[in-house]
Amino acid sequence: MSAPTLPVPPPPPVSSVARALRPVLARLRLLRSVWQRWFLWVLLAVLVLALLVTVVWLAGRHEVEQAQTLLERDTADAVSDLRGGLQRNAQTLRASSAGVMDHDAWLARAAGLLREHREWLRLEWRDSALQPLAALDTPYRRRVFEDDGRGAEQPDVVAACANARKLGTPAYSPSHYVPSPQGGGLEAMELCVPIEGGVLVATYALREMLTELVAPTLTRGQEVSFVEPDGTRLVAVGAPRRIGTRVFTAQQVIDLPGSEMLLRADGWRAVPDLFPNMLTALVTAISIALVSVLVLLARDTRARQRVEHDLADALAFRKAMEDSVITGLRARDLQGRITYVNPAFCEMVGLSAEELMRSDVDAPYWPTELAHEYQRRQAVRMAGALPPREGFESVFMHRDGSRFPVLIFEAPLINAQGSQTGWMSAFIDISEQRRIEELSRATQERLQASARLATVGEMASLLSHELTQPLAAIASYASGSLNLLGTDGPVARVDQAEVAMAVRRIAEQADRAGQVIRSVHDFVRRRDRTREAVAPQALVDAVLPLIELQARKLGVQVEVALEPDLPRLLCDRTLVEQLLLNLARNGMQAMDMPGLDERVLRLRVAPVAPAPDGNAAADARRWVEFSVADGGCGISAAVEERLFTPFFTTRADGMGLGLSLCRTVVEQHGGALGFERLVPRGTVFRFTLPAA
Ligand code: ADP
């Protein structure tokens, strides 16, 4: 029956250029994905950095603004304090002139005031023409003014009093420098308070004004100074500026009648101050955390990349391995659809991977006549039945329709989560193995036939010897009969009976000769190679005439012992007979040496007692043991080593095939062949055969 041929689709046209470009394109794609990933990371890092810098900068600016605002507020407060203080001082001065006033009384009052107000250098009482009436200097410092330098025409006093008269309120002179008689000098300012019949003039020391009238909280942290509108600094008090600090400046106009000055405060803070307050600290901490996370992420990505790389390597390795093995591999899902095949499998069945994976539940490599059985097998497998571990044999069909035997190993396909997702199968094409087995079987058979023929050759001489006896008997009976019959007269009645007896003897002898020849013929004739149930007795009976043939020649006595109730054996009769003959012949040949008192060959057949530790399989079958014992030369260690090697012999005319063939035959039947040394001499060979 010719196999159905499957339609062969033409291979898809793939231009050689496209094929050549494929690796280049794959490389480019890989490069692009790597580049994309790095670009995103760099972008993220830049953005985070920008955010960080902006936040820190904003926080710093906020802090600077806060410091500035605070300073301005403090300065404005200080100016209003100063104005208030000056106003109170002017009122105090005016109040001191109340009531009747003489020279001494004024001096006493002035002394009291000067003690209270350290900011005043001098108090003067002048008349309306500004002529001094009385004057007193502060007790807190050495005298600054010469009395004659403070006449009516003292320009600052004149200016202040002119203003005071014009406005009708206390007025001030612009600041002026008063050189000190002891060297150096100080900045001062005149206050003119108009009173009844004159004026009171108080001279302010600007430095003391700052220390006394401006709140000490302001002067402690920063430098506070009086500045003229043109920017000239008059006096300054407070802490000097530290190096590496940033200066904050705030100034306020002190608008006094007749005098204009600015109060200026210079504050400083360490810049850049990264942790000015909680906010910046918090922002910085978060930013540091963010950067740390970024670094960790980058590390993680690097580790991932390494793992990906390793994984790609492992995949490539696995693929190379799958592609290089000659074992076909196939994976199926739980519905029986093919999910994976390796190139070896595709080659085995002559179908492409796409065709195989496209195929339905019926696989295209199932021989049509067996598809039904395979479907059933697949259903059993999909139901979860475990296949035999040692694999099982099956037949697949190539795309060209040819069938070939395969050995299949199947195992459940378990995924990373430990659940079964299908079945994995490995296939070995065993056609070649089958061919070799067949070849070796044929060779073995030929070898056995040759061995048998060799045995026959050896027996030819025995045969001739054995046949001479009946032939001689036949000849003598024949000539005796002829004599009785005579040629020259009629045969007597008694003679007739004798002749009949002689002819019977002739027939008997001829039968005996025929038996001898038949037994040899039976042995040589190639019978069918089939196993059949044979009684052990029949096997022994078949070879016994041949054994005895040789035994007679060598003067050996043959003893046969068969135990009763032996089971029939399942065996190839011809081979087992040859086996028995071989062992018996070997035993007899071993005893073929001078000086032996008795030459006995013992052939025993007995059932094998089940071994106490025998496994269930062995016990299930019954076995029968054959043993052939001789009292011959025995087997030396050197001979034992090579005993079963083909063509090993110690005999000049031996072929050395006997024992190696014997072992093959026994093993083919599932039994075992071995030997033991006997005491005091000889060897026993034993082999087992299974009962039918
Ligand atoms: P062959 O009989 O042609 O020599 P065999 O394979 O039957 O080949 O035997 C190989 C050798 O094993 C023999 O030559 C002999 O030396 C030795 N041998 C076999 N059987 C016996 C035995 N019963 N006693 C002693 N030696 C034996």
Side-chain angles (χ1 to χ4, degrees):
M1 187 182 115
S2 74
T5 47
L6 291 172
V8 183
V14 180
S15 84
S16 57
V17 180
R19 205 175 311 135
L21 273 180
R22 215 174 288 153
V24 179
L25 285 175
R27 240 196 128 62
L28 277 178
R29 260 200 298 280
L30 185 76
L31 265 178
R32 203 180 61 185
S33 76
V34 168
W35 187 85
Q36 251 175 8
R37 185 184 295 158
W38 278 113
F39 173 74
L40 286 179
W41 272 110
V42 170
L43 191 68
L44 186 62
V46 166
L47 283 179
V48 167
L49 208 69
L51 179 75
L52 199 71
V53 169
T54 313
V55 164
V56 170
W57 179 73
L58 278 178
R61 223 180 75 143
H62 177 71
E63 185 221 357
V64 167
E65 271 171 12
Q66 251 191 344
Q68 183 69 39
T69 316
L70 193 71
L71 192 66
E72 267 165 17
R73 210 181 54 214
D74 285 354
T75 315
D77 288 351
V79 165
S80 80
D81 283 356
L82 194 65
R83 264 211 217 97
L86 288 174
Q87 220 162 12
R88 273 195 305 282
N89 281 0
Q91 281 166 359
T92 311
L93 209 56
R94 181 179 283 165
S96 73
S97 69
V100 189
M101 213 165 41
D102 63 7
H103 183 263
D104 289 336
W106 184 83
L107 276 182
R109 275 186 207 172
L113 285 175
L114 281 171
R115 261 197 305 279
E116 275 169 38
H117 296 273
R118 287 166 187 258
E119 64 271 25
W120 282 335
L121 285 174
R122 182 183 171 91
L123 286 180
E124 288 171 358
W125 180 22
R126 296 188 184 222
D127 62 12
S128 5
L130 299 183
Q131 284 300 336
L133 296 176
L136 192 65
D137 284 298
T138 179
Y140 296 112
R141 39 164 87 232
R142 283 203 274 174
R143 248 181 109 178
V144 181
F145 298 105
E146 299 297 333
D147 279 340
D148 43 348
R150 303 275 305 176
E153 61 285 357
Q154 213 285 337
D156 298 294
V157 177
V158 171
C161 290
N163 257 335
R165 283 219 188 91
K166 194 162 77 202
L167 300 170
T169 56
Y172 299 83
S173 76
S175 72
H176 58 96
Y177 186 72
V178 183
S180 154
Q182 294 85 34
L186 47 80
E187 285 290 337
M189 188 176 76
E190 308 295 337
L191 162 68
C192 185
V193 181
I195 54 167
E196 219 170 292
V199 291
L200 286 175
V201 173
T203 308
Y204 276 101
L206 291 191
R207 178 173 297 278
E208 275 68 25
M209 246 170 98
L210 281 179
T211 50
E212 297 300 316
L213 300 181
V214 173
T217 42
L218 189 67
T219 52
R220 203 172 299 139
Q222 45 249 316
E223 195 181 59
V224 186
S225 53
F226 284 124
V227 182
E228 284 199 341
D230 63 1
T232 318
R233 203 146 79 138
L234 300 171
V235 288
V237 287
R241 180 184 172 185
R242 288 191 302 275
I243 297 168
T245 51
R246 175 178 167 158
V247 180
F248 298 89
T249 303
Q251 44 187 23
Q252 286 274 332
V253 180
I254 317 163
D255 204 5
L256 298 171
S259 162
E260 200 176 15
M261 272 194 313
L262 299 170
L263 181 71
R264 173 180 161 141
D266 289 304
W268 41 81
R269 287 190 176 216
V271 175
D273 201 348
L274 270 184
F275 300 95
N277 49 33
M278 276 300 286
L279 176 76
T280 319
L282 202 68
V283 165
T284 312
I286 292 174
S287 306
I288 289 172
L290 206 66
V291 170
S292 313
V293 169
L294 257 182
V295 169
L296 286 180
L297 261 176
R299 268 206 208 148
D300 179 63
T301 307
R302 198 115 52 83
R304 249 164 218 271
Q305 258 176 330
R306 234 189 338 259
V307 171
E308 265 176 33
H309 191 262
D310 289 354
L311 206 63
D313 275 357
L315 266 180
F317 175 74
R318 204 197 75 172
K319 177 137 179 49
M321 211 162 67
E322 283 163 6
D323 291 355
S324 65
V325 290
I326 52 161
T327 307
L329 295 175
R330 176 198 68 185
R332 284 187 295 179
D333 62 13
L334 287 173
Q335 281 71 48
R337 274 186 297 270
I338 297 176
T339 52
Y340 165 82
V341 280
N342 75 337
F345 186 77
C346 295
E347 202 181 321
M348 220 179 258
V349 296
L351 294 161
S352 71
E354 290 75 33
E355 283 169 310
L356 285 167
M357 290 204 245
R358 228 182 2 224
S359 67
D360 218 9
V361 177
D362 268 13
Y365 47 82
W366 285 354
T368 13
E369 67 279 8
L370 294 171
H372 202 66
E373 189 196 323
Y374 287 12
Q375 261 171 9
R376 201 176 40 77
R377 195 171 67 193
Q378 176 156 313
V380 169
R381 184 79 63 252
M382 293 306 142
L386 275 182
R389 266 191 75 76
E390 65 279 6
F392 57 94
E393 281 189 35
S394 186
V395 175
F396 278 2
M397 182 173 72
H398 192 268
R399 154 178 258 154
D400 63 13
S402 58
R403 272 61 167 169
F404 59 95
V406 280
L407 191 60
I408 307 179
F409 301 89
E410 284 200 308
L413 200 61
I414 309 292
N415 69 4
Q417 284 74 47
S419 53
Q420 186 183 353
T421 57
W423 292 90
M424 187 77 203
S425 319
F427 302 89
I428 300 170
D429 184 346
I430 49 172
S431 351
E432 184 62 12
Q433 193 181 327
R434 278 288 126 80
R435 203 180 59 77
I436 292 170
E437 271 171 20
E438 181 55 33
L439 208 67
S440 103
R441 201 179 55 77
T443 313
Q444 189 80 27
E445 253 173 44
R446 270 203 295 278
L447 216 58
Q448 274 158 359
S450 316
R452 216 160 40 237
L453 285 176
T455 313
V456 171
E458 217 173 283
M459 283 178 178
S461 61
L462 290 174
L463 259 182
S464 61
H465 166 77
E466 193 69 6
L467 286 178
T468 43
Q469 262 186 14
L471 286 179
I474 287 170
S476 61
Y477 279 126
S479 60
S481 303
L482 276 178
N483 283 344
L484 278 177
L485 288 173
T487 45
D488 46 353
V491 181
R493 265 189 86 76
V494 275
D495 288 340
Q496 259 188 20
E498 275 183 29
V499 170
M501 200 271 292
V503 173
R504 260 202 305 281
R505 290 274 183 274
I506 290 174
E508 272 171 20
Q509 291 301 321
D511 198 38
R512 189 180 153 200
Q515 255 176 18
V516 170
I517 292 173
R518 215 170 15 250
S519 65
V520 176
H521 177 256
D522 273 0
F523 179 71
V524 178
R525 203 188 59 204
R526 219 185 129 112
R527 275 175 291 192
D528 285 345
R529 279 297 154 87
T530 47
R531 299 229 171 139
E532 53 191 317
V534 193
Q537 182 77 54
L539 290 170
V540 175
D541 287 348
V543 285
L544 208 52
L546 296 172
I547 294 174
E548 275 169 348
L549 213 61
Q550 194 161 19
R552 268 200 293 280
K553 189 188 168 202
L554 296 176
V556 172
Q557 196 189 332
V558 180
E559 283 180 17
V560 179
L562 273 94
E563 291 208 357
D565 301 330
L566 285 171
R568 284 152 79 83
L569 302 174
L570 185 66
C571 62
D572 184 323
R573 204 184 160 139
T574 321
L575 294 181
V576 176
E577 283 169 10
Q578 189 175 349
L579 167 62
L580 272 174
L581 186 61
N582 261 331
L583 294 181
R585 212 186 44 188
N586 277 350
M588 289 188 285
Q589 278 164 356
M591 288 186 284
D592 185 18
M593 55 184 204
L596 275 185
D597 326 332
E598 58 158 17
R599 297 186 163 86
V600 188
L601 185 79
R602 292 187 178 84
L603 182 65
R604 248 174 67 87
V605 187
V608 179
D613 57 342
N615 56 31
D619 287 342
R621 280 206 284 178
R622 290 175 63 201
W623 295 81
V624 171
E625 186 186 72
F626 288 73
S627 62
V628 182
D630 65 71
C633 59
I635 292 172
S636 66
V639 172
E640 181 184 345
E641 243 174 56
R642 307 178 55 201
L643 195 61
F644 294 101
T645 318
F647 304 110
F648 168 75
T649 178
T650 55
R651 293 192 296 121
D653 55 345
M655 270 181 63
L657 279 173
L659 282 179
S660 88
L661 285 173
C662 287
R663 180 137 88 173
T664 315
V665 168
V666 173
E667 283 172 2
Q668 271 173 2
H669 285 81
L673 168 72
F675 73 92
E676 270 170 49
R677 295 196 177 89
L678 288 177
V679 188
R681 52 175 50 244
T683 321
V684 56
F685 276 84
R686 296 178 210 278
F687 65 90
T688 47
L689 289 177

